[in-house]
Amino acid sequence: MLLLLWARWSEPSVRLGQTLEQLAVAAGGAWTLALADVDAAPRIPQAFGAQNVPMVIAMWNQQPVSAFDGAKEPAEIAAWIENVAAQVGIALGDGAAVEPEQPEDPRMLAAEELLNAGDAAAALAAYEAIATADGPQSEAASAVRNITFMLRAQAHEPTVLETAAADDVDGQLAAADVLLLGQRPEQAFDRIIDLIRITDGDERTRARTRLLELFDLFDPAEPFVVSARRKLATALY
């Protein structure tokens, strides 16, 4: 599957979407195309660490395997798709690239409908109920973490970036949320790591706990997460 992160205000996004739709039809079902509007679903680009639109992400077995951003010519995209297929060991020509369809969980569909309708609080409650049943490693638990962060971050005033004192735990944690919501994870993590360096006791524990929670919003292999974990180790010891 190819996932296109796009925005209605971005002409390159719209054109790329049209190109991908044409290529998907020409592929005859060898791969599928999904679109995510970054304005309607901001947690999706955050999850992939996307900094720009348009961005195309190749997914295989529900994991990202390759990506590119910006506009490309149809021939370039077709060659990229062929290369991705070769990386995962499939042949597009024989239909082997079609991923087996998984039955959709009606509980997840209902929760997603609430989120798409703009009722984040109700969606959060629905995902929490599913996560309780399915466990902390489930897709629902991941959705809970993302929505919880989104609701908290959206409640902060952006001015906290300038007004929070260096040793103001609440202020700096709020500032980190604002930065992360603005897709600046490195700066968000650095804010909390700086706070950890100058605090101790319960305040330091609070800051460290929040940082670990933010790490969980991303793939642990993301370079900025790996770098921040190293900085955290240095700050603690």
Side-chain angles (χ1 to χ4, degrees), residues 6-85:
W6 74 295
R8 298 180 188 279
W9 44 262
S10 168
E11 287 189 15
S13 291
V14 175
R15 289 197 302 270
L16 182 56
Q18 294 169 345
T19 298
L20 288 170
E21 287 173 352
Q22 293 169 359
L23 289 172
V25 171
W31 52 270
T32 57
L33 175 65
L35 285 75
D37 186 328
V38 299
D39 294 320
R43 67 187 181 92
I44 295 179
Q46 290 168 9
F48 289 103
Q51 301 295 321
N52 303 294
V53 292
M55 181 175 186
V56 179
I57 303 163
M59 307 288 294
W60 180 250
N61 290 332
Q62 301 182 1
Q63 296 295 322
V65 293
S66 185
F68 71 82
D69 58 17
K72 287 184 180 293
E73 293 297 321
E76 293 180 283
I77 299 172
W80 176 76
I81 293 171
E82 290 283 354
N83 183 55
V84 171

Side-chain angles (χ1 to χ4, degrees), residues 220-236:
E222 284 284 1
F224 55 80
V225 175
V226 174
S227 175
R229 285 190 178 277
R230 289 173 181 158
K231 292 178 183 179
L232 172 60
T234 301
L236 289 172

